[in-house]
Amino acid sequence: PVKRTPVPKLKFDPDLMSAIFIGDAHIGMYAYGPETKHSDFDTDKAAAGLREAIDDLIDRSPNAETGLLVDVGDFMHMNSSLNTTLKGTRLDVDTRYSRVLRASGQVMNYAVGRMLKKFIKVIVVISKGNHNEDPAVAVQEICAAYYHKEPRVTVLDTDGYFHYIEWGKWLIGVNHGDKIKPEKLVNVMSRDMAQAWGRSTHRMWATGHFHHKQVL
């Protein structure tokens, strides 16, 4: 486990929560530019791009007391060393499963470490996607173990497919979005979190899965 990070000496606003949402990072995906007619992509590019984005978002965020880090699923591209999704769809993958899992855990721990230098409390949500149902649990456990002795970090369990954060009058749900239609999520939240639903005045869902613009 990492040593405790000193509390940043800043003036914090307890009425603010800064949230970073990572959408379908697909660490481990491999793309060959001349074949795709776009650009190259691999594990190193994915990890570097995420670190750069995390740094930029944290630097531009207000001095909120709470920081929320949400992975909406498909953080890793493949589900196992078979280089497929859980259902068996073949994937173009960059090198070995162990390397991709290690890189994914390092990126997640990096994000939390950077957030600890800006916020008093950090809440982490790692959701399962259709590409990474099993490694999502592994990345969550890596992060939870790494920050086990850091009381300012809360890592939610990745046991099911629906995750909830109640903050002030807000109720926030997280789900990858591959197994349920978006319009049905409101019913799931009101059923799963009936008491919190009654306490809240603002409610939202954070989802992933869709890689194209969609207008409803």
Side-chain angles (χ1 to χ4, degrees):
V2 70
K3 295 181 180 179
R4 294 185 179 183
T5 303
V7 178
K9 296 180 180 180
L10 300 169
K11 185 178 180 180
F12 296 97
D13 189 340
D15 295 327
L16 287 179
M17 178 172 68
S18 291
I20 296 177
F21 295 93
I22 302 175
D24 293 68
H26 285 274
I27 299 176
M29 189 196 85
Y30 180 81
Y32 179 51
E35 179 184 32
T36 63
K37 307 303 180 186
H38 192 273
S39 58
D40 295 331
F41 193 77
D42 56 28
T43 298
D44 293 335
K45 287 181 179 292
L50 283 166
R51 285 188 172 92
E52 182 179 347
I54 288 162
D55 287 339
D56 180 55
L57 289 169
I58 293 173
D59 289 342
R60 292 192 289 116
S61 65
N63 292 343
E65 187 175 276
T66 303
L68 174 65
L69 178 63
V70 176
D71 158 35
V72 298
D74 284 357
F75 194 65
M76 278 179 58
H77 188 52
M78 73 289 215
N79 192 67
S80 71
S81 56
L82 295 176
N83 295 339
T84 66
T85 65
L86 182 66
K87 292 184 177 180
T89 302
R90 292 180 59 188
L91 303 167
D92 289 326
V93 174
D94 175 35
T95 74
R96 298 298 185 263
Y97 176 84
S98 58
R99 179 175 185 264
V100 177
L101 178 60
R102 188 174 301 112
S104 300
Q106 289 171 347
V107 169
M108 190 61 65
N109 289 343
Y110 175 83
V112 176
R114 285 286 285 111
M115 294 177 77
L116 282 170
K117 296 179 180 180
K118 185 66 178 278
F119 312 113
I120 294 289
K121 297 177 291 185
V122 178
I123 302 170
V124 184
V125 182
I126 299 173
S127 184
K128 297 177 181 178
N130 57 303
H131 277 248
N132 72 329
E133 289 199 20
D134 296 332
V137 179
V139 173
Q140 178 259 313
E141 291 292 344
I142 289 171
C143 188
Y146 192 73
Y147 288 103
H148 176 66
K149 294 186 177 181
E150 177 53 82
R152 296 197 289 128
V153 175
T154 300
V155 182
L156 273 62
D157 290 336
T158 306
D159 293 328
Y161 297 92
F162 301 98
H163 313 278
Y164 301 97
I165 304 100
E166 187 178 4
W167 185 81
K169 292 294 185 179
W170 279 85
L171 180 57
I172 302 169
V174 180
N175 175 260
H176 186 57
D178 61 306
K179 295 178 176 64
I180 186 171
K181 293 182 178 180
E183 56 268 24
K184 292 186 177 181
L185 287 171
V186 61
N187 296 328
V188 174
M189 178 180 282
S190 63
R191 179 197 66 200
D192 290 350
M193 302 292 290
Q195 294 185 359
W197 178 278
R199 290 190 295 265
S200 62
T201 57
H202 297 74
R203 309 170 188 100
M204 66 166 281
W205 275 98
T207 63
H209 190 58
F210 293 101
H211 294 216
H212 56 272
K213 184 180 293 186
Q214 184 181 48
V215 178
L216 297 177

